[in-house]
Amino acid sequence: MIEMLPLDDERRTEARIAMAFLGRSVVAPSLATLLREAYPHIIAFWALQLRTAQEAGQVPGDLDPEREAMILYALTQGLVSPTLIDCCPAELVEATVDYHLDRLFRRGR
């Protein structure tokens, strides 16, 4: 998750490009198709990580991995803009992600 956040120069550049690509995709259907095709892979990857953690007893078995993966994705994407405009310092962004992950994983203990 942290790798998706603009917390260093390289990832800030990547995030700026991604935001420009997203903005263009709203009016360019071919670009929107690329994003639509990538989205399920990200959610599936995170859902797999959560299912694996459930099997290990680290995350409660009653949680829906796909829904939690969507929440994690929304959390990271929601932090990108405030981070890029220097509204949220990197420490706060990382602490926010850690806070949510701790809550998810702590419930499994």
Side-chain angles (χ1 to χ4, degrees), residues 5-83:
L5 295 168
L7 300 176
D8 60 30
D9 289 340
E10 180 179 350
R11 289 180 286 173
R12 287 178 78 81
T13 298
E14 291 169 358
R16 287 182 186 113
I17 293 167
M19 289 192 81
F21 191 79
L22 175 63
R24 181 73 177 129
S25 71
V26 173
V27 295
S30 62
L31 295 178
T33 298
L34 291 172
L35 291 178
R36 266 194 310 277
E37 291 173 355
Y39 176 79
H41 297 288
I42 296 167
I43 300 303
F45 173 78
W46 287 358
L48 174 62
Q49 304 313 304
L50 291 169
R51 272 193 297 283
T52 301
Q54 283 178 320
E55 292 167 6
Q58 299 170 327
V59 170
D62 65 334
L63 293 179
D64 178 344
E66 283 75 21
R67 180 166 291 163
E68 295 299 330
M70 289 178 67
I71 292 167
L72 293 172
Y73 182 78
L75 174 65
T76 56
Q77 293 307 294
L79 290 169
V80 169
S81 294
T83 305

Side-chain angles (χ1 to χ4, degrees), residues 1-7 11 76 93-94 97-98:
M1 289 178 60
I2 294 296
E3 286 302 313
M4 293 183 72
L5 295 168
L7 300 176
R11 289 180 286 173
T76 56
V93 171
E94 289 185 56
V97 171
D98 287 344

